[in-house]
Amino acid sequence: MNIIVCIKQVPDTTDVKIDPKTGTLIRDGVPSIVNPDDKHAVEEALRLKEKFGGKVTALCMGPPQADDALREVSAMGVDDLILLSDRAFAGADTWATSYALGMAIGKIEYDLVICGREAIDGDTAQIGPQLAGCLDIPQITYVKNVEMGDGKILCERALEDGYEKIEASLPALITVISDLNKPRYPSVGGIVEAYREKEVKVWNAEFIGADQELLGLKGSPTEVRKTFAPEPKGDGEILQGSTDEMAKQLVTKLVDKNILR
Ligand SMILES: Cc1cc2nc3c(=O)[nH]c(=O)nc-3n(C[C@H](O)[C@H](O)[C@H](O)COP(=O)(O)OP(=O)(O)OC[C@H]3O[C@@H](n4cnc5c(N)ncnc54)[C@H](O)[C@@H]3O)c2cc1C
């Protein structure tokens, strides 16, 4: 079972600040981490490898400093580390990012691709589904439980009010949510190996055979016209009284607003 896990390096905050002049993220002074959902993806890949054998490869598209994110998941137990890094990828929207990841994955033998559900900075949750489209393989999103066997994957896919069970034949792509598992801590030996011995292979646009017109800003159909923080809607209201009284006031207000009937 060869598994590829897509990991993204993100700023360690959900309180993303935007430069009002350039409309881009302010990354200065914000430490970077492995996107939280992606650690669940790595954990699941490692569990499947422990059960069925094979290899886990982590793939990350990002600038040279994303090397750190790859070494962090290596310390958890990932075998191979690939960093897709090239100026040609700069300014990529999710479409161009999916294309680049897809071209890189095309160079690796795999049975399963695992992505996080969404990244905490971009927040689109588009990469997994688009990547499955690029690879022309089945996808199951919002996965909270995984079973494998007979060349198939059977997943529980979370819904708002329950879950559905979906089966797909391999190779397939899944996107996972945090209910799936509890990511392991890196081992001390793993940390030493990750930082002293492990090689991070750096692949560029030419190596993956990508069409330069479909990469980065050139290959990005999305155009950000304006980025802004919404104005606060006004002061909140603090209800007074006992718990029962406050609950009654709250229900009355919700009924008045037609939110409750
Ligand atoms: C018009 C536009 C311009 C942009 N310009 C830039 C720019 O100049 N510089 C820049 O850094 N970003 C830029 N971005 C953001 C960039 O497109 C996204 O960060 C990226 O495509 C991932 O989307 P997301 O964060 O919404 O991921 P999601 O779709 O929410 O992520 C889901 C999962 O996909 C996987 N994944 C996502 N991104 C990666 C990755 N890079 N490598 C490996 N796996 C990944 C992970 O498993 C993740 O959990 C731009 C976006 C747009 C729309």
Side-chain angles (χ1 to χ4, degrees):
M1 169 80 52
N2 291 323
I3 304 170
I4 299 172
V5 186
C6 293
I7 65 158
K8 184 180 184 192
Q9 191 183 46
V10 294
D12 185 10
T13 175
T14 44
D15 182 19
V16 172
K17 299 204 170 44
I18 311 278
D19 182 326
K21 283 196 186 121
T22 60
T24 56
L25 291 185
I26 301 172
R27 293 177 193 268
D28 291 352
V30 183
S32 295
I33 55 167
V34 175
N35 180 52
D37 277 352
D38 303 354
K39 286 206 175 165
H40 296 275
V42 169
E43 176 62 35
E44 200 59 25
L46 294 173
R47 288 183 191 194
L48 291 170
K49 178 189 136 177
E50 282 155 9
K51 209 163 168 189
F52 299 104
K55 195 163 79 164
V56 177
T57 302
L59 172 66
C60 175
M61 177 172 136
Q65 58 266 32
D67 176 280
D68 268 350
L70 286 163
R71 291 190 192 277
E72 189 178 333
V73 298
S74 166
M76 288 171 72
V78 169
D79 303 289
D80 280 359
L81 311 171
I82 298 170
L83 176 61
L84 264 190
S85 204
D86 190 321
R87 293 192 77 85
F89 301 137
D93 67 1
T94 62
W95 183 258
T97 302
S98 305
Y99 169 68
L101 290 173
M103 290 303 288
I105 289 173
K107 297 194 79 70
I108 309 167
E109 235 180 77
Y110 69 94
D111 303 291
L112 181 65
V113 180
I114 311 183
C115 293
R117 177 189 58 141
E118 71 180 1
I120 58 169
D121 57 348
D123 259 353
T124 67
Q126 290 173 354
I127 297 290
Q130 284 176 176
L131 183 52
C134 286
L135 297 168
D136 199 18
I137 57 174
Q139 59 173 291
I140 308 176
T141 53
Y142 292 80
V143 167
K144 70 181 196 76
N145 190 48
V146 173
E147 287 168 41
M148 310 271 302
D150 288 339
K152 293 199 169 117
I153 183 165
L154 178 65
C155 297
E156 285 176 12
R157 176 178 189 271
L159 302 172
E160 262 179 34
D161 52 355
Y163 66 88
E164 55 190 8
K165 274 194 161 186
I166 299 187
E167 187 180 79
S169 50
L170 298 176
L173 180 148
I174 61 173
T175 75
V176 303
I177 60 173
S178 58
D179 293 0
L180 178 62
N181 57 39
K182 188 169 184 296
R184 67 194 66 188
Y185 289 108
S187 66
V188 175
I191 295 171
V192 172
E193 194 192 344
Y195 285 90
R196 285 207 186 141
E197 291 160 31
K198 268 287 174 71
E199 181 200 4
V200 174
K201 292 176 192 138
V202 181
W203 289 2
N204 61 18
E206 192 186 351
F207 183 80
I208 61 172
D211 179 342
Q212 298 272 346
E213 294 300 310
L214 302 179
L215 293 175
L217 208 50
K218 266 197 273 181
S220 296
T222 322
E223 196 181 311
V224 179
R225 303 303 283 263
K226 189 179 173 194
T227 314
F228 62 96
E231 291 294 324
K233 285 190 180 145
D235 292 339
E237 188 183 343
I238 296 175
L239 302 177
Q240 306 287 349
S242 67
T243 312
D244 275 357
E245 286 162 355
M246 287 191 291
K248 278 186 191 133
Q249 290 172 47
L250 180 62
V251 169
T252 308
K253 284 176 188 298
L254 293 176
V255 170
D256 286 349
K257 288 181 186 292
N258 286 324
I259 296 170
L260 275 185
R261 286 183 188 194

